[in-house]
Amino acid sequence: MLDSAPLPYRLLEHADHVARWSGLAVGVVVAQAVSTLGDGDVEFEQRVVFCITAFGLCAVAGVLLADALTLRPQEAVRTASLAPRLVRDHVPPRMGPLIALQGVSLVALLVITAATASVDPDRVLSTGKVVHVTCNGMRASLGPWPGLYYSLPMFGALAIATPTCAWALRRIAHGPGGDQQRRDRAWAVTGAWGLLVSSQQLYAVLMISVALTETGCAGVVGALTFWVFYPLALLNLFTLVWSLVTVVAPRAVEDEKSLDDTTAFDDTVAFDDEAGLDDTADLDDERAAEGTLRR
């Protein structure tokens, strides 16, 4: 009779896919519920921030649950590699550094907007919503501005998701499983974190662009918006789409460098084996010659 896989193995074979998709579905439901939170009391912009944050955290939670449910390949003989496993060898070689750079730039952008936002001593809970500028000798308020009033949920989401995803990547890199499976899992985690970062930065950039273009003083402000924030918004939109597709169906592509390293390692092992065989053959010949002389 043919051997069949155990029942728990068959049940959990596609559990990781279900967990990732469920995380996105739950994120949509939670975002929809948050969008109707406190109608009239909570501003539209703040509700959008809550929706984006909730959806991103649900996506991260779904991917982490999927990684925990991923079955490791059942091998009859376990093999170990002499090369050390590094996290950077498992994340996307191009999109990984780009998403990390976007995360750093998001934190820097939110810190700058929080520092430049106007402070209202009489309304502490709603401070940081606008920025005051002087245009043609007149003082004007521009908003909505991503100060602390809007950026606190973003900071909180990053504080939760960043160390969690970093721990997951380290766990994947040093854990069991095949190389392709580990890369797929690492790509999914990277996509989930990128989904959170790119969506938050996209909305923050849109808020800044709308606020800066409201003023009649174009000049440097208009040029800054056109040459910096619009391209940054397009970049975040591209990262958002890539991250969403990666979370839905992660499939890592072999890095050329890792392939070259593997080929070089295999060639070295093969060369050593051939050299060992040659040395063994020479030793046998020497022993045969000694036996002949003794006779």
PDB file of all heavy atoms in Angstrom, residues 132-168:
ATOM      1  N   HIS A 132       1.391  76.392  10.815  1.00  0.00           N
ATOM      2  CA  HIS A 132       1.227  77.815  10.542  1.00  0.00           C
ATOM      3  C   HIS A 132       2.345  78.294   9.620  1.00  0.00           C
ATOM      4  O   HIS A 132       3.527  78.000   9.855  1.00  0.00           O
ATOM      5  CB  HIS A 132       1.249  78.628  11.837  1.00  0.00           C
ATOM      6  CG  HIS A 132       0.066  78.372  12.724  1.00  0.00           C
ATOM      7  ND1 HIS A 132      -1.234  78.505  12.308  1.00  0.00           N
ATOM      8  CD2 HIS A 132       0.003  77.981  14.032  1.00  0.00           C
ATOM      9  CE1 HIS A 132      -2.065  78.225  13.290  1.00  0.00           C
ATOM     10  NE2 HIS A 132      -1.331  77.889  14.356  1.00  0.00           N
ATOM     11  N   VAL A 133       1.980  79.025   8.574  1.00  0.00           N
ATOM     12  CA  VAL A 133       2.938  79.597   7.631  1.00  0.00           C
ATOM     13  C   VAL A 133       2.594  81.066   7.426  1.00  0.00           C
ATOM     14  O   VAL A 133       1.476  81.504   7.711  1.00  0.00           O
ATOM     15  CB  VAL A 133       2.906  78.854   6.276  1.00  0.00           C
ATOM     16  CG1 VAL A 133       3.331  77.401   6.447  1.00  0.00           C
ATOM     17  CG2 VAL A 133       1.532  78.936   5.638  1.00  0.00           C
ATOM     18  N   THR A 134       3.577  81.796   6.936  1.00  0.00           N
ATOM     19  CA  THR A 134       3.380  83.210   6.623  1.00  0.00           C
ATOM     20  C   THR A 134       3.472  83.386   5.121  1.00  0.00           C
ATOM     21  O   THR A 134       4.490  83.041   4.500  1.00  0.00           O
ATOM     22  CB  THR A 134       4.431  84.079   7.315  1.00  0.00           C
ATOM     23  OG1 THR A 134       4.349  83.863   8.733  1.00  0.00           O
ATOM     24  CG2 THR A 134       4.200  85.541   7.011  1.00  0.00           C
ATOM     25  N   CYS A 135       2.410  83.897   4.529  1.00  0.00           N
ATOM     26  CA  CYS A 135       2.340  84.056   3.084  1.00  0.00           C
ATOM     27  C   CYS A 135       1.912  85.492   2.771  1.00  0.00           C
ATOM     28  O   CYS A 135       0.826  85.926   3.199  1.00  0.00           O
ATOM     29  CB  CYS A 135       1.352  83.055   2.496  1.00  0.00           C
ATOM     30  SG  CYS A 135       1.161  83.167   0.705  1.00  0.00           S
ATOM     31  N   ASN A 136       2.762  86.220   2.058  1.00  0.00           N
ATOM     32  CA  ASN A 136       2.469  87.609   1.685  1.00  0.00           C
ATOM     33  C   ASN A 136       2.161  88.473   2.907  1.00  0.00           C
ATOM     34  O   ASN A 136       1.256  89.302   2.917  1.00  0.00           O
ATOM     35  CB  ASN A 136       1.297  87.675   0.699  1.00  0.00           C
ATOM     36  CG  ASN A 136       1.602  86.976  -0.615  1.00  0.00           C
ATOM     37  OD1 ASN A 136       2.750  86.980  -1.075  1.00  0.00           O
ATOM     38  ND2 ASN A 136       0.592  86.360  -1.221  1.00  0.00           N
ATOM     39  N   GLY A 137       2.930  88.226   3.962  1.00  0.00           N
ATOM     40  CA  GLY A 137       2.757  88.998   5.184  1.00  0.00           C
ATOM     41  C   GLY A 137       1.581  88.590   6.026  1.00  0.00           C
ATOM     42  O   GLY A 137       1.318  89.217   7.064  1.00  0.00           O
ATOM     43  N   MET A 138       0.861  87.569   5.642  1.00  0.00           N
ATOM     44  CA  MET A 138      -0.300  87.119   6.401  1.00  0.00           C
ATOM     45  C   MET A 138      -0.051  85.703   6.926  1.00  0.00           C
ATOM     46  O   MET A 138       0.542  84.867   6.244  1.00  0.00           O
ATOM     47  CB  MET A 138      -1.558  87.122   5.515  1.00  0.00           C
ATOM     48  CG  MET A 138      -1.944  88.500   4.995  1.00  0.00           C
ATOM     49  SD  MET A 138      -3.446  88.458   4.001  1.00  0.00           S
ATOM     50  CE  MET A 138      -4.623  87.845   5.218  1.00  0.00           C
ATOM     51  N   ARG A 139      -0.501  85.465   8.143  1.00  0.00           N
ATOM     52  CA  ARG A 139      -0.324  84.176   8.788  1.00  0.00           C
ATOM     53  C   ARG A 139      -1.510  83.270   8.455  1.00  0.00           C
ATOM     54  O   ARG A 139      -2.662  83.679   8.595  1.00  0.00           O
ATOM     55  CB  ARG A 139      -0.201  84.360  10.303  1.00  0.00           C
ATOM     56  CG  ARG A 139       0.221  83.097  11.054  1.00  0.00           C
ATOM     57  CD  ARG A 139       0.444  83.434  12.520  1.00  0.00           C
ATOM     58  NE  ARG A 139       0.826  82.266  13.302  1.00  0.00           N
ATOM     59  CZ  ARG A 139       2.063  81.796  13.394  1.00  0.00           C
ATOM     60  NH1 ARG A 139       3.035  82.402  12.735  1.00  0.00           N
ATOM     61  NH2 ARG A 139       2.341  80.738  14.140  1.00  0.00           N
ATOM     62  N   ALA A 140      -1.221  82.048   8.018  1.00  0.00           N
ATOM     63  CA  ALA A 140      -2.272  81.115   7.619  1.00  0.00           C
ATOM     64  C   ALA A 140      -1.997  79.741   8.222  1.00  0.00           C
ATOM     65  O   ALA A 140      -0.849  79.387   8.516  1.00  0.00           O
ATOM     66  CB  ALA A 140      -2.347  81.014   6.096  1.00  0.00           C
ATOM     67  N   SER A 141      -3.068  78.986   8.407  1.00  0.00           N
ATOM     68  CA  SER A 141      -2.977  77.620   8.943  1.00  0.00           C
ATOM     69  C   SER A 141      -3.249  76.630   7.818  1.00  0.00           C
ATOM     70  O   SER A 141      -4.258  76.745   7.115  1.00  0.00           O
ATOM     71  CB  SER A 141      -3.988  77.415  10.076  1.00  0.00           C
ATOM     72  OG  SER A 141      -3.709  78.288  11.150  1.00  0.00           O
ATOM     73  N   LEU A 142      -2.352  75.672   7.660  1.00  0.00           N
ATOM     74  CA  LEU A 142      -2.482  74.659   6.622  1.00  0.00           C
ATOM     75  C   LEU A 142      -2.738  73.304   7.275  1.00  0.00           C
ATOM     76  O   LEU A 142      -2.100  72.934   8.261  1.00  0.00           O
ATOM     77  CB  LEU A 142      -1.219  74.594   5.763  1.00  0.00           C
ATOM     78  CG  LEU A 142      -0.780  75.888   5.066  1.00  0.00           C
ATOM     79  CD1 LEU A 142       0.486  75.646   4.266  1.00  0.00           C
ATOM     80  CD2 LEU A 142      -1.888  76.410   4.175  1.00  0.00           C
ATOM     81  N   GLY A 143      -3.658  72.585   6.724  1.00  0.00           N
ATOM     82  CA  GLY A 143      -3.969  71.278   7.270  1.00  0.00           C
ATOM     83  C   GLY A 143      -4.916  70.509   6.353  1.00  0.00           C
ATOM     84  O   GLY A 143      -5.420  71.062   5.367  1.00  0.00           O
ATOM     85  N   PRO A 144      -5.141  69.240   6.651  1.00  0.00           N
ATOM     86  CA  PRO A 144      -4.602  68.537   7.829  1.00  0.00           C
ATOM     87  C   PRO A 144      -3.117  68.233   7.692  1.00  0.00           C
ATOM     88  O   PRO A 144      -2.643  67.900   6.601  1.00  0.00           O
ATOM     89  CB  PRO A 144      -5.418  67.240   7.856  1.00  0.00           C
ATOM     90  CG  PRO A 144      -5.808  67.005   6.437  1.00  0.00           C
ATOM     91  CD  PRO A 144      -6.011  68.361   5.830  1.00  0.00           C
ATOM     92  N   TRP A 145      -2.391  68.376   8.788  1.00  0.00           N
ATOM     93  CA  TRP A 145      -0.949  68.178   8.821  1.00  0.00           C
ATOM     94  C   TRP A 145      -0.647  66.948   9.680  1.00  0.00           C
ATOM     95  O   TRP A 145      -1.176  66.813  10.783  1.00  0.00           O
ATOM     96  CB  TRP A 145      -0.269  69.410   9.400  1.00  0.00           C
ATOM     97  CG  TRP A 145       1.214  69.403   9.331  1.00  0.00           C
ATOM     98  CD1 TRP A 145       2.077  69.159  10.348  1.00  0.00           C
ATOM     99  CD2 TRP A 145       2.027  69.660   8.180  1.00  0.00           C
ATOM    100  NE1 TRP A 145       3.371  69.240   9.918  1.00  0.00           N
ATOM    101  CE2 TRP A 145       3.363  69.552   8.582  1.00  0.00           C
ATOM    102  CE3 TRP A 145       1.735  69.964   6.854  1.00  0.00           C
ATOM    103  CZ2 TRP A 145       4.417  69.742   7.700  1.00  0.00           C
ATOM    104  CZ3 TRP A 145       2.792  70.152   5.967  1.00  0.00           C
ATOM    105  CH2 TRP A 145       4.111  70.047   6.390  1.00  0.00           C
ATOM    106  N   PRO A 146       0.196  66.024   9.205  1.00  0.00           N
ATOM    107  CA  PRO A 146       0.450  64.789   9.962  1.00  0.00           C
ATOM    108  C   PRO A 146       1.328  65.003  11.188  1.00  0.00           C
ATOM    109  O   PRO A 146       2.440  64.470  11.287  1.00  0.00           O
ATOM    110  CB  PRO A 146       1.124  63.878   8.926  1.00  0.00           C
ATOM    111  CG  PRO A 146       1.766  64.814   7.960  1.00  0.00           C
ATOM    112  CD  PRO A 146       0.864  66.014   7.891  1.00  0.00           C
ATOM    113  N   GLY A 147       0.814  65.833  12.115  1.00  0.00           N
ATOM    114  CA  GLY A 147       1.501  65.985  13.393  1.00  0.00           C
ATOM    115  C   GLY A 147       1.171  64.834  14.323  1.00  0.00           C
ATOM    116  O   GLY A 147       0.692  63.778  13.916  1.00  0.00           O
ATOM    117  N   LEU A 148       1.422  65.043  15.616  1.00  0.00           N
ATOM    118  CA  LEU A 148       1.193  63.965  16.579  1.00  0.00           C
ATOM    119  C   LEU A 148      -0.277  63.547  16.648  1.00  0.00           C
ATOM    120  O   LEU A 148      -0.583  62.409  16.991  1.00  0.00           O
ATOM    121  CB  LEU A 148       1.678  64.404  17.965  1.00  0.00           C
ATOM    122  CG  LEU A 148       3.204  64.487  18.151  1.00  0.00           C
ATOM    123  CD1 LEU A 148       3.533  64.961  19.551  1.00  0.00           C
ATOM    124  CD2 LEU A 148       3.864  63.151  17.859  1.00  0.00           C
ATOM    125  N   TYR A 149      -1.177  64.452  16.341  1.00  0.00           N
ATOM    126  CA  TYR A 149      -2.599  64.119  16.390  1.00  0.00           C
ATOM    127  C   TYR A 149      -2.929  62.976  15.424  1.00  0.00           C
ATOM    128  O   TYR A 149      -3.774  62.132  15.719  1.00  0.00           O
ATOM    129  CB  TYR A 149      -3.421  65.362  16.050  1.00  0.00           C
ATOM    130  CG  TYR A 149      -4.909  65.151  16.129  1.00  0.00           C
ATOM    131  CD1 TYR A 149      -5.556  65.102  17.349  1.00  0.00           C
ATOM    132  CD2 TYR A 149      -5.673  65.013  14.964  1.00  0.00           C
ATOM    133  CE1 TYR A 149      -6.935  64.910  17.419  1.00  0.00           C
ATOM    134  CE2 TYR A 149      -7.048  64.830  15.026  1.00  0.00           C
ATOM    135  CZ  TYR A 149      -7.666  64.772  16.259  1.00  0.00           C
ATOM    136  OH  TYR A 149      -9.032  64.585  16.325  1.00  0.00           O
ATOM    137  N   TYR A 150      -2.250  62.948  14.274  1.00  0.00           N
ATOM    138  CA  TYR A 150      -2.477  61.896  13.284  1.00  0.00           C
ATOM    139  C   TYR A 150      -1.388  60.825  13.297  1.00  0.00           C
ATOM    140  O   TYR A 150      -1.642  59.677  12.892  1.00  0.00           O
ATOM    141  CB  TYR A 150      -2.559  62.501  11.880  1.00  0.00           C
ATOM    142  CG  TYR A 150      -3.684  63.482  11.693  1.00  0.00           C
ATOM    143  CD1 TYR A 150      -3.435  64.844  11.524  1.00  0.00           C
ATOM    144  CD2 TYR A 150      -5.013  63.065  11.688  1.00  0.00           C
ATOM    145  CE1 TYR A 150      -4.467  65.748  11.348  1.00  0.00           C
ATOM    146  CE2 TYR A 150      -6.053  63.963  11.519  1.00  0.00           C
ATOM    147  CZ  TYR A 150      -5.777  65.304  11.354  1.00  0.00           C
ATOM    148  OH  TYR A 150      -6.808  66.195  11.183  1.00  0.00           O
ATOM    149  N   SER A 151      -0.186  61.168  13.711  1.00  0.00           N
ATOM    150  CA  SER A 151       0.936  60.232  13.573  1.00  0.00           C
ATOM    151  C   SER A 151       1.121  59.309  14.769  1.00  0.00           C
ATOM    152  O   SER A 151       1.872  58.331  14.667  1.00  0.00           O
ATOM    153  CB  SER A 151       2.239  61.012  13.339  1.00  0.00           C
ATOM    154  OG  SER A 151       2.530  61.861  14.436  1.00  0.00           O
ATOM    155  N   LEU A 152       0.476  59.580  15.902  1.00  0.00           N
ATOM    156  CA  LEU A 152       0.651  58.697  17.054  1.00  0.00           C
ATOM    157  C   LEU A 152       0.223  57.257  16.759  1.00  0.00           C
ATOM    158  O   LEU A 152       0.933  56.317  17.135  1.00  0.00           O
ATOM    159  CB  LEU A 152      -0.116  59.255  18.259  1.00  0.00           C
ATOM    160  CG  LEU A 152       0.617  60.310  19.095  1.00  0.00           C
ATOM    161  CD1 LEU A 152      -0.269  60.777  20.248  1.00  0.00           C
ATOM    162  CD2 LEU A 152       1.940  59.757  19.626  1.00  0.00           C
ATOM    163  N   PRO A 153      -0.928  57.027  16.103  1.00  0.00           N
ATOM    164  CA  PRO A 153      -1.249  55.626  15.749  1.00  0.00           C
ATOM    165  C   PRO A 153      -0.222  54.996  14.817  1.00  0.00           C
ATOM    166  O   PRO A 153       0.051  53.787  14.914  1.00  0.00           O
ATOM    167  CB  PRO A 153      -2.623  55.740  15.076  1.00  0.00           C
ATOM    168  CG  PRO A 153      -3.199  57.008  15.594  1.00  0.00           C
ATOM    169  CD  PRO A 153      -2.042  57.928  15.774  1.00  0.00           C
ATOM    170  N   MET A 154       0.364  55.797  13.924  1.00  0.00           N
ATOM    171  CA  MET A 154       1.394  55.265  13.032  1.00  0.00           C
ATOM    172  C   MET A 154       2.631  54.852  13.810  1.00  0.00           C
ATOM    173  O   MET A 154       3.198  53.771  13.585  1.00  0.00           O
ATOM    174  CB  MET A 154       1.756  56.306  11.967  1.00  0.00           C
ATOM    175  CG  MET A 154       0.605  56.718  11.078  1.00  0.00           C
ATOM    176  SD  MET A 154       1.142  57.918   9.817  1.00  0.00           S
ATOM    177  CE  MET A 154      -0.412  58.266   8.995  1.00  0.00           C
ATOM    178  N   PHE A 155       3.065  55.709  14.743  1.00  0.00           N
ATOM    179  CA  PHE A 155       4.213  55.359  15.574  1.00  0.00           C
ATOM    180  C   PHE A 155       3.928  54.092  16.387  1.00  0.00           C
ATOM    181  O   PHE A 155       4.800  53.222  16.524  1.00  0.00           O
ATOM    182  CB  PHE A 155       4.556  56.517  16.518  1.00  0.00           C
ATOM    183  CG  PHE A 155       5.359  57.607  15.884  1.00  0.00           C
ATOM    184  CD1 PHE A 155       4.886  58.907  15.848  1.00  0.00           C
ATOM    185  CD2 PHE A 155       6.601  57.345  15.328  1.00  0.00           C
ATOM    186  CE1 PHE A 155       5.621  59.921  15.252  1.00  0.00           C
ATOM    187  CE2 PHE A 155       7.353  58.345  14.740  1.00  0.00           C
ATOM    188  CZ  PHE A 155       6.861  59.640  14.698  1.00  0.00           C
ATOM    189  N   GLY A 156       2.734  53.985  16.931  1.00  0.00           N
ATOM    190  CA  GLY A 156       2.391  52.805  17.702  1.00  0.00           C
ATOM    191  C   GLY A 156       2.410  51.529  16.879  1.00  0.00           C
ATOM    192  O   GLY A 156       2.917  50.483  17.329  1.00  0.00           O
ATOM    193  N   ALA A 157       1.873  51.599  15.654  1.00  0.00           N
ATOM    194  CA  ALA A 157       1.877  50.416  14.782  1.00  0.00           C
ATOM    195  C   ALA A 157       3.297  50.007  14.412  1.00  0.00           C
ATOM    196  O   ALA A 157       3.625  48.809  14.395  1.00  0.00           O
ATOM    197  CB  ALA A 157       1.058  50.700  13.527  1.00  0.00           C
ATOM    198  N   LEU A 158       4.148  50.980  14.112  1.00  0.00           N
ATOM    199  CA  LEU A 158       5.540  50.659  13.786  1.00  0.00           C
ATOM    200  C   LEU A 158       6.271  50.072  14.982  1.00  0.00           C
ATOM    201  O   LEU A 158       7.096  49.157  14.830  1.00  0.00           O
ATOM    202  CB  LEU A 158       6.262  51.922  13.303  1.00  0.00           C
ATOM    203  CG  LEU A 158       5.842  52.461  11.930  1.00  0.00           C
ATOM    204  CD1 LEU A 158       6.562  53.773  11.649  1.00  0.00           C
ATOM    205  CD2 LEU A 158       6.130  51.453  10.832  1.00  0.00           C
ATOM    206  N   ALA A 159       5.990  50.588  16.174  1.00  0.00           N
ATOM    207  CA  ALA A 159       6.639  50.072  17.380  1.00  0.00           C
ATOM    208  C   ALA A 159       6.250  48.625  17.653  1.00  0.00           C
ATOM    209  O   ALA A 159       7.032  47.865  18.231  1.00  0.00           O
ATOM    210  CB  ALA A 159       6.288  50.949  18.575  1.00  0.00           C
ATOM    211  N   ILE A 160       5.058  48.226  17.250  1.00  0.00           N
ATOM    212  CA  ILE A 160       4.609  46.847  17.458  1.00  0.00           C
ATOM    213  C   ILE A 160       5.086  45.931  16.331  1.00  0.00           C
ATOM    214  O   ILE A 160       5.609  44.834  16.584  1.00  0.00           O
ATOM    215  CB  ILE A 160       3.074  46.796  17.567  1.00  0.00           C
ATOM    216  CG1 ILE A 160       2.600  47.552  18.816  1.00  0.00           C
ATOM    217  CG2 ILE A 160       2.578  45.354  17.607  1.00  0.00           C
ATOM    218  CD1 ILE A 160       1.102  47.687  18.902  1.00  0.00           C
ATOM    219  N   ALA A 161       4.916  46.368  15.082  1.00  0.00           N
ATOM    220  CA  ALA A 161       5.173  45.486  13.941  1.00  0.00           C
ATOM    221  C   ALA A 161       6.657  45.313  13.643  1.00  0.00           C
ATOM    222  O   ALA A 161       7.079  44.220  13.238  1.00  0.00           O
ATOM    223  CB  ALA A 161       4.457  46.027  12.703  1.00  0.00           C
ATOM    224  N   THR A 162       7.459  46.363  13.826  1.00  0.00           N
ATOM    225  CA  THR A 162       8.867  46.281  13.420  1.00  0.00           C
ATOM    226  C   THR A 162       9.653  45.242  14.207  1.00  0.00           C
ATOM    227  O   THR A 162      10.279  44.351  13.608  1.00  0.00           O
ATOM    228  CB  THR A 162       9.522  47.665  13.531  1.00  0.00           C
ATOM    229  OG1 THR A 162       8.814  48.595  12.708  1.00  0.00           O
ATOM    230  CG2 THR A 162      10.980  47.605  13.088  1.00  0.00           C
ATOM    231  N   PRO A 163       9.678  45.276  15.542  1.00  0.00           N
ATOM    232  CA  PRO A 163      10.441  44.225  16.249  1.00  0.00           C
ATOM    233  C   PRO A 163       9.848  42.836  16.065  1.00  0.00           C
ATOM    234  O   PRO A 163      10.584  41.845  16.043  1.00  0.00           O
ATOM    235  CB  PRO A 163      10.381  44.682  17.718  1.00  0.00           C
ATOM    236  CG  PRO A 163       9.202  45.571  17.811  1.00  0.00           C
ATOM    237  CD  PRO A 163       9.089  46.245  16.483  1.00  0.00           C
ATOM    238  N   THR A 164       8.524  42.753  15.913  1.00  0.00           N
ATOM    239  CA  THR A 164       7.902  41.443  15.717  1.00  0.00           C
ATOM    240  C   THR A 164       8.327  40.830  14.388  1.00  0.00           C
ATOM    241  O   THR A 164       8.677  39.642  14.318  1.00  0.00           O
ATOM    242  CB  THR A 164       6.375  41.572  15.771  1.00  0.00           C
ATOM    243  OG1 THR A 164       5.989  42.213  16.992  1.00  0.00           O
ATOM    244  CG2 THR A 164       5.728  40.207  15.703  1.00  0.00           C
ATOM    245  N   CYS A 165       8.300  41.621  13.317  1.00  0.00           N
ATOM    246  CA  CYS A 165       8.720  41.112  12.010  1.00  0.00           C
ATOM    247  C   CYS A 165      10.216  40.814  11.984  1.00  0.00           C
ATOM    248  O   CYS A 165      10.644  39.837  11.344  1.00  0.00           O
ATOM    249  CB  CYS A 165       8.358  42.124  10.920  1.00  0.00           C
ATOM    250  SG  CYS A 165       6.584  42.290  10.629  1.00  0.00           S
ATOM    251  N   ALA A 166      11.021  41.638  12.664  1.00  0.00           N
ATOM    252  CA  ALA A 166      12.458  41.369  12.723  1.00  0.00           C
ATOM    253  C   ALA A 166      12.735  40.049  13.436  1.00  0.00           C
ATOM    254  O   ALA A 166      13.585  39.249  13.005  1.00  0.00           O
ATOM    255  CB  ALA A 166      13.170  42.516  13.432  1.00  0.00           C
ATOM    256  N   TRP A 167      12.007  39.789  14.526  1.00  0.00           N
ATOM    257  CA  TRP A 167      12.165  38.507  15.223  1.00  0.00           C
ATOM    258  C   TRP A 167      11.731  37.347  14.336  1.00  0.00           C
ATOM    259  O   TRP A 167      12.372  36.280  14.328  1.00  0.00           O
ATOM    260  CB  TRP A 167      11.333  38.526  16.510  1.00  0.00           C
ATOM    261  CG  TRP A 167      11.231  37.191  17.162  1.00  0.00           C
ATOM    262  CD1 TRP A 167      12.139  36.589  17.987  1.00  0.00           C
ATOM    263  CD2 TRP A 167      10.142  36.257  17.029  1.00  0.00           C
ATOM    264  NE1 TRP A 167      11.688  35.346  18.370  1.00  0.00           N
ATOM    265  CE2 TRP A 167      10.467  35.112  17.800  1.00  0.00           C
ATOM    266  CE3 TRP A 167       8.934  36.292  16.332  1.00  0.00           C
ATOM    267  CZ2 TRP A 167       9.615  34.022  17.888  1.00  0.00           C
ATOM    268  CZ3 TRP A 167       8.087  35.192  16.422  1.00  0.00           C
ATOM    269  CH2 TRP A 167       8.423  34.079  17.194  1.00  0.00           C
ATOM    270  N   ALA A 168      10.652  37.534  13.582  1.00  0.00           N
ATOM    271  CA  ALA A 168      10.168  36.472  12.696  1.00  0.00           C
ATOM    272  C   ALA A 168      11.185  36.171  11.601  1.00  0.00           C
ATOM    273  O   ALA A 168      11.428  34.997  11.267  1.00  0.00           O
ATOM    274  CB  ALA A 168       8.823  36.866  12.087  1.00  0.00           C
TER     275      ALA A 168
END
